[in-house]
């Protein structure tokens, strides 16, 4: 046995390298959902394959600094294997692989995991984690330890030499274009350059790099060019509404689909009558927040790190020039509306850094059973919330609305009892089921768009409504599947009740706000004036990168060194809830009606700081049972987050029970 161990120690490095190669093959097989695809990748791109295996090999060299090498090796194997499994699971639900920003999104993943995993799935995951933990403890205590001398004076320099050698190989691979630091399509990049390299790139390559000729003089020249945008017309102040429709696009662009009837007849009618075109977006199948970021700020994601979400990086700590901030300077009130929970993508924290005065999330909507079969709130609830935001102020309003009804993952078996629209043409029945569910959802979204435009037509105020899809649905579409031959675009239409001239053109999401302002005679804001003056001119993209760097990461020369914007004191919901009285429920023992205003299904009673089960009755009534109040009980109604954390978002003022209880005659 001792002789065998001695030979294993002598062959330690070659075996370590072999294990890295085999381990990487397993990771790619999991990520690609096919050992065959992993083998084809290995044989078609052997240099890239062995580069990624070398990356794993280099990161695991630290085992030679420990005596418990078996234990450390197992930990590292589990680490890389878990990363591979996470990527494989994500790619079964969306087209975007696991990236560095997803490390920040893990909390959001837990918030929506219940929509993808059954209860038994949670139980299995927790059970596996507990078993693994106990097994690791046992392994730590029982596994054999290296018995030879620990030659740190040799091992440490050799490990450092290995790291430096790998860094040199990386530099050479980039110079020879074996690898790339720019991912035009992050999903394709993972397929071409390998999961470990791309994951590392998205972790360490973030933000916007300082342009080579960045200076005060360069920014001054850009600002001088912006003068061509013109002066603002002070007469026009219509309401401006952006409606971002989840996974919405024209499915008739898919070559192989046979659809029984047009799922978006009203949207198609609007495209013929009003300004419309293709909407170029920064993501496919996921990444709602990035299309949102571009549409609100006028900034392009092209210059950020691959796969980066600014909502989870720079915007957590930095105020960003945006359409809300610019329009607020012209007297607009600014609102965000989203029929999903408030904390998803960190919106409740991010929106004050984008200048929003209010944010109405799902928790502040008096919905009842308005959910689709997957549990997403239907978009029809948004009409009332948009009108409510408009009526809440005397000023013109900028309203950014984010829908959710079209969200995947789409079911691969029939769940619609009597679908209005049927679909065929896919390779499998499972795919037909997914498309059938999807087109029926966007058909309902199309009906919502009609209801909204009709309501706005009768509101008595001038309105410009910009509607578009945030990205293509998660259907595994490829370029050759689409008639327009492009994955990164949806459709948009600009509806209005002001008689604006129809103008059709294709726009990027970071250009839309500037385009709308331009048509209304609004020429304000550093980024927006830049687009208006410089779109499609020489060095347009180069100077845009420099301007974005200056505003977010640089010396802010455009602002004379200090941003003119301050974080807003954003309110949640348009109107505050109130707790007015507590009334005994007739015929129900130890049950009480809680009377007040602006309650929703997310309202819950708190007594002396403790949560109690609360039943939502209507916007002015809640019901609590099984509790006997005492005179000095302290009560309040809290809007609780619909995420798994169930944290308090806002609450009414504390009231003492004796002050709000029903009065006896």
């Amino acid at each position: 046995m001792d002789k065998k161990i001695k030979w294993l120690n002598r062959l330690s490095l070659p075996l370590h390298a072999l294990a890295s190669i085999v381990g990487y093959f397993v990771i790619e097989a999991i990520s690609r959902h096919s050992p065959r695809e992993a083998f084809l990748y290995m044989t078609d791109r052997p240099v890239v394959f062995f580069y990624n295996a070398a990356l794993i090999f280099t990161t695991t060299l630290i085992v030679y600094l420990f005596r418990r090498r078996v234990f450390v090796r197992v930990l590292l194997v589990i680490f890389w294997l878990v990363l591979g499994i996470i990527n494989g699971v994500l790619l079964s639900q969306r087209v975007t692989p696991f990236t560095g920003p997803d490390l920040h999104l893990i909390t959001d993943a837990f918030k929506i995991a219940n929509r993808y995993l059954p209860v038994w799935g949670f139980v299995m995951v927790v059970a596996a984690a507990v078993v693994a933990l106990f097994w690791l403890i046992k392994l730590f205590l029982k596994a054999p330890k290296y018995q030879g001398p620990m030659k740190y004076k040799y091992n440490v320099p050799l490990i450092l030499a290995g790291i430096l050698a790998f860094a040199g190989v990386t530099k050479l691979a980039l110079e020879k274009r074996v690898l790339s630091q720019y991912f035009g399509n992050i999903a394709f990049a993972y397929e071409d350059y390998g999961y470990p390299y791309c994951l590392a790139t998205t972790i360490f390559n973030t933000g916007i790099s300082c342009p080579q000729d960045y200076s005060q003089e360069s920014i001054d020249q850009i600002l001088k060019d912006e003068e061509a945008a013109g002066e603002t017309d002070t007469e026009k102040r219509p309401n401006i509404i952006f409606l971002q429709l989840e996974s919405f696009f024209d499915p008739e662009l898919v070559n192989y689909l046979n659809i029984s009837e047009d799922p978006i007849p009203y949207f198609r009618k609007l495209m013929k009558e009003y300004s419309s075109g293709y909407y170029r977006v920064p993501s496919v199948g996921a990444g709602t927040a990035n299309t949102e970021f571009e549409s609100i700020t006028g900034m392009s994601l092209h210059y950020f790190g691959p796969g980066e979400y600014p909502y989870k990086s720079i915007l957590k700590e930095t105020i960003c020039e945006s359409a809300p901030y610019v329009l607020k300077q012209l007297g607009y009130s600014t609102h965000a509306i989203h029929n999903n929970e408030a904390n998803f993508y960190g919106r409740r924290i991010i929106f004050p850094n984008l200048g929003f005065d209010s944010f109405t999330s799902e928790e502040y909507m008096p919905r009842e059973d308005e959910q689709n079969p997957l549990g997403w709130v239907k978009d029809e609830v948004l009409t009332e919330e948009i009108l409510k935001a408009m009526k809440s102020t005397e000023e013109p309003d900028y309203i950014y609305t984010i829908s959710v009804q079209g969200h995947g993952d789409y079911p691969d078996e029939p769940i619609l009892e009597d679908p209005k629209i049927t679909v065929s043409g896919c390779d499998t029945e499972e795919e037909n089921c997914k498309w059938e569910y999807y087109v029926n959802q966007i058909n309902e979204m199309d009906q919502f768009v009609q209801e909204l435009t009709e309501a706005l037509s009768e509101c008595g105020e001038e309105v410009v409504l910009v509607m578009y899809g945030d990205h293509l649905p998660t259907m595994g579409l490829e370029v050759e599947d689409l008639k327009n031959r492009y994955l990164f675009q949806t459709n948009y239409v600009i509806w209005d009740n002001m008689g604006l001239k129809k103008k059709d053109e294709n726009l990027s999401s970071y250009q839309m706000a500037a385009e709308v302002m331009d048509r209304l005679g609004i020429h304000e804001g550093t980024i927006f004036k830049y687009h208006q003056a410089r779109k499609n001119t020489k060095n347009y993209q180069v100077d845009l990168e420099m301007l974005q760097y200056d505003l977010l990461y640089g010396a802010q020369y455009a602002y004379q060194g200090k941003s003119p914007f301050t974080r807003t004191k954003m309110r949640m919901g348009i109107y505050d809830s109130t707790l007015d009285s507590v009334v005994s429920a007739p015929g129900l023992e130890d049950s009480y009606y809680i009377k007040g205003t602006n309650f929703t299904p997310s309202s819950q009673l708190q007594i002396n700081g403790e949560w109690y089960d609360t039943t939502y009755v209507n916007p002015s009534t809640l019901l609590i049972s099984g509790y006997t109040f005492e005179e000095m009980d302290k009560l309040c109604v809290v809007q609780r987050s619909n995420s798994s954390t169930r944290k308090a978002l806002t609450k009414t003022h504390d009231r003492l029970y004796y002050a709000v209880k029903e009065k006896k005659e």
Side-chain angles (χ1 to χ4, degrees):
M1 181 63 71
D2 291 341
K3 186 178 292 186
K4 185 181 294 185
I5 291 175
K6 186 180 292 186
W7 274 103
L8 287 174
N9 286 333
R10 288 179 180 177
L11 296 173
S12 178
L13 273 176
L15 290 173
H16 195 96
L18 179 62
S20 298
I21 294 170
V22 173
Y24 176 52
F25 181 87
V26 172
I27 288 171
E28 285 295 340
I30 294 172
S31 296
R32 296 167 190 266
H33 305 142
S34 167
R36 180 178 179 274
E37 290 297 323
F39 180 79
L40 290 175
Y41 163 69
M42 180 178 68
T43 53
D44 290 345
R45 302 179 66 88
V47 175
V48 175
F49 180 90
F50 286 106
Y51 169 85
N52 281 277
L55 190 157
I56 294 176
F57 174 81
T58 304
T59 61
T60 55
L61 285 176
I62 59 171
V63 298
Y64 294 102
L65 300 179
F66 300 91
R67 286 195 179 278
R68 297 182 182 273
R69 292 180 183 178
V70 172
F71 176 76
V72 176
R73 278 197 175 95
V74 169
L75 278 184
L76 292 171
V77 167
I78 291 175
F79 169 76
W80 280 107
L81 187 60
V82 166
L83 288 179
I85 292 172
I86 290 173
N87 192 46
V89 170
L90 283 182
L91 286 175
S92 69
Q93 308 291 341
R94 69 186 200 192
V95 298
T96 306
F98 184 67
T99 66
D102 284 318
L103 296 172
H104 301 288
L105 293 172
I106 286 176
T107 54
D108 286 339
F110 284 123
K111 293 170 189 175
I112 65 169
N114 64 314
R115 302 186 189 270
Y116 297 115
L117 286 178
V119 174
W120 63 263
F122 283 110
V123 173
M124 287 186 66
V125 169
V126 172
V130 171
V131 171
L133 178 61
F134 279 104
W135 181 75
L136 284 173
I137 293 172
K138 183 178 179 181
L139 183 67
F140 179 82
L141 297 174
K142 301 292 186 179
K145 294 187 289 185
Y146 177 69
Q147 300 299 320
M150 296 295 293
K151 301 177 181 179
Y152 290 115
K153 64 180 180 179
Y154 298 115
N155 290 355
V156 172
L158 286 173
I159 291 172
L160 292 176
I163 294 171
L164 291 174
F166 181 76
V169 169
T170 301
K171 183 178 180 182
L172 181 63
L174 290 169
E175 290 174 353
K176 298 297 183 180
R177 301 190 181 279
V178 175
L179 302 173
S180 174
Q181 286 185 307
Y182 171 69
F183 302 162
N185 181 316
I186 194 166
F188 295 163
Y190 270 60
E191 292 180 3
D192 293 338
Y193 305 124
Y195 177 45
Y197 168 73
C198 291
L199 178 61
T201 300
T202 60
I203 290 174
F204 299 108
N205 182 8
T206 60
I208 304 174
S209 300
C210 180
Q212 189 172 1
D213 54 349
Y214 173 64
S215 65
Q216 176 77 67
E217 292 74 20
S218 298
I219 296 299
D220 288 344
Q221 182 58 52
I222 293 173
L223 297 179
K224 185 177 180 181
D225 294 341
E226 290 183 358
E227 295 174 4
E231 297 296 323
T232 295
D233 181 352
T234 57
E235 297 299 320
K236 292 183 180 178
R237 290 293 184 275
N239 298 288
I240 300 173
I241 303 173
F242 274 61
L243 174 57
Q244 181 169 292
L245 296 162
E246 172 64 41
S247 300
F248 187 92
F249 93 120
D250 181 2
E252 293 190 356
L253 291 172
V254 181
N255 292 318
Y256 57 78
L257 287 184
N258 299 314
I259 308 173
S260 63
E261 64 178 82
D262 185 0
I264 55 169
Y266 187 74
F267 197 89
R268 197 179 307 283
K269 175 176 179 289
L270 294 182
M271 287 193 291
K272 293 178 180 178
E273 298 175 355
Y274 296 89
S275 298
S276 62
Y278 285 121
Y279 200 63
R280 291 189 293 270
V281 295
S283 58
V284 177
T288 294
N290 279 347
T291 301
E292 188 177 317
F293 169 80
E294 288 197 345
S295 301
I296 292 173
T297 66
M299 294 189 181
S300 171
L301 264 295
H302 180 84
Y303 310 112
F304 288 81
E308 182 172 0
Y309 289 82
Y311 276 21
K312 287 294 182 179
S313 55
I314 185 66
L315 287 193
K316 293 178 71 175
E317 57 192 39
T318 301
I319 293 167
C320 180
E321 180 176 308
S322 64
Y325 275 124
V326 169
L327 293 173
K328 279 164 67 72
Q329 295 176 334
L330 298 177
Y332 277 76
S333 294
T334 59
H335 315 275
I337 299 173
H338 184 30
N339 53 336
N340 195 15
E341 61 102 354
N343 287 315
F344 196 52
Y345 279 119
R347 289 185 176 98
R348 188 167 68 97
I349 304 300
I350 299 305
F351 280 168
N353 283 342
L354 289 173
F356 285 102
D357 295 323
S358 73
F359 177 25
T360 302
S361 62
E362 174 189 3
E363 291 90 345
Y364 293 84
M365 298 180 181
R367 57 183 177 77
E368 296 184 39
D369 296 322
E370 295 150 331
Q371 294 183 337
N372 71 10
L374 293 184
W376 303 105
V377 178
K378 291 189 176 183
D379 290 345
E380 63 187 34
V381 305
L382 296 172
T383 298
E384 180 182 348
E385 299 303 328
I386 290 171
L387 294 174
K388 189 187 299 182
M390 291 175 60
K391 293 175 183 177
S392 69
T393 68
E394 295 295 328
E395 304 86 9
D397 297 287
Y398 169 87
I399 304 172
Y400 198 92
T401 307
I402 309 140
S403 96
V404 78
Q405 181 171 351
H407 205 292
D409 180 35
Y410 309 112
D412 57 8
E413 57 184 30
I415 61 173
L416 302 176
E417 292 184 4
D418 185 20
K420 175 184 176 183
I421 303 173
T422 58
V423 174
S424 62
C426 300
D427 291 336
T428 66
E429 280 306 309
E430 288 78 11
E431 291 175 336
N432 283 331
C433 283
K434 289 184 176 185
W435 277 109
E436 189 165 279
Y437 174 86
Y438 170 77
V439 298
N440 280 278
Q441 293 307 303
I442 64 169
N443 178 250
E444 290 189 11
M445 295 166 69
D446 186 68
Q447 295 170 36
F448 150 64
V449 167
Q450 182 172 359
E451 293 167 2
L452 175 61
T453 54
E454 290 174 352
L456 292 175
S457 296
E458 301 172 357
C459 72
E461 299 182 29
E462 290 187 329
V463 179
V464 175
L465 171 63
V466 185
M467 298 172 282
Y468 53 87
D470 57 352
H471 52 69
L472 297 190
T474 311
M475 293 292 190
L477 290 168
E478 298 182 359
V479 170
E480 55 268 23
D481 297 327
L482 299 173
K483 295 174 183 176
N484 56 328
R485 308 292 290 181
Y486 194 54
L487 293 172
F488 288 81
Q489 63 186 16
T490 59
N491 309 91
Y492 81 85
V493 62
I494 303 176
W495 176 92
D496 71 274
N497 60 359
M498 302 167 53
L500 294 179
K501 184 178 179 180
K502 179 176 172 62
K503 178 184 176 183
D504 293 344
E505 64 177 322
N506 300 335
L507 293 169
S508 294
S509 50
Y510 58 82
Q511 296 172 326
M512 180 57 82
E515 181 67 25
V516 171
M517 291 184 198
D518 190 40
R519 297 187 192 186
L520 297 176
I522 298 174
H523 307 293
E524 304 290 338
T526 308
I527 286 286
F528 306 111
K529 287 174 66 177
Y530 176 82
H531 289 305
Q532 292 169 355
R534 293 284 307 279
K535 186 174 68 172
N536 299 328
T537 63
K538 184 180 180 181
N539 295 326
Y540 170 55
Q541 295 292 343
V542 173
D543 289 347
L544 177 60
E545 178 182 11
M546 183 179 295
L547 192 57
Q548 290 185 191
Y549 175 81
D550 180 62
L551 299 186
L552 284 180
Y553 298 93
Q556 297 189 326
Y557 294 132
Y559 300 144
Q560 289 76 52
K562 185 178 180 180
S563 173
F565 308 112
T566 57
R567 181 178 169 88
T568 58
K569 295 180 179 179
M570 186 182 75
R571 63 176 294 124
M572 293 299 299
I574 295 296
Y575 302 109
D576 291 332
S577 299
T578 63
L579 192 167
D580 300 332
S581 63
V582 178
V583 180
S584 296
L588 298 175
E589 186 177 355
D590 292 335
S591 296
Y592 301 85
Y593 288 123
I594 312 300
K595 295 290 186 177
T597 60
N598 301 312
F599 296 152
T600 75
S602 297
S603 302
Q604 188 165 355
L605 189 67
Q606 197 175 64
I607 306 173
N608 302 322
E610 299 291 330
W611 300 107
Y612 284 85
D613 289 339
T614 311
T615 301
Y616 172 75
V617 179
N618 57 51
S620 61
T621 309
L622 303 175
L623 175 67
I624 180 173
S625 303
Y627 184 84
T628 302
F629 283 102
E630 298 182 2
E631 290 292 296
M632 297 303 292
D633 280 343
K634 188 183 292 185
L635 319 178
C636 69
V637 175
V638 180
Q639 296 302 115
R640 297 191 73 177
S641 169
N642 288 352
S643 71
S644 59
T645 61
R646 300 288 289 142
K647 290 183 178 179
L649 298 174
T650 55
K651 69 175 187 176
T652 64
H653 293 296
D654 289 329
R655 305 287 301 275
L656 293 175
Y657 171 66
Y658 77 82
V660 295
K661 69 178 180 179
E662 64 176 327
K663 302 297 187 293
K664 302 290 185 182
E665 293 293 338

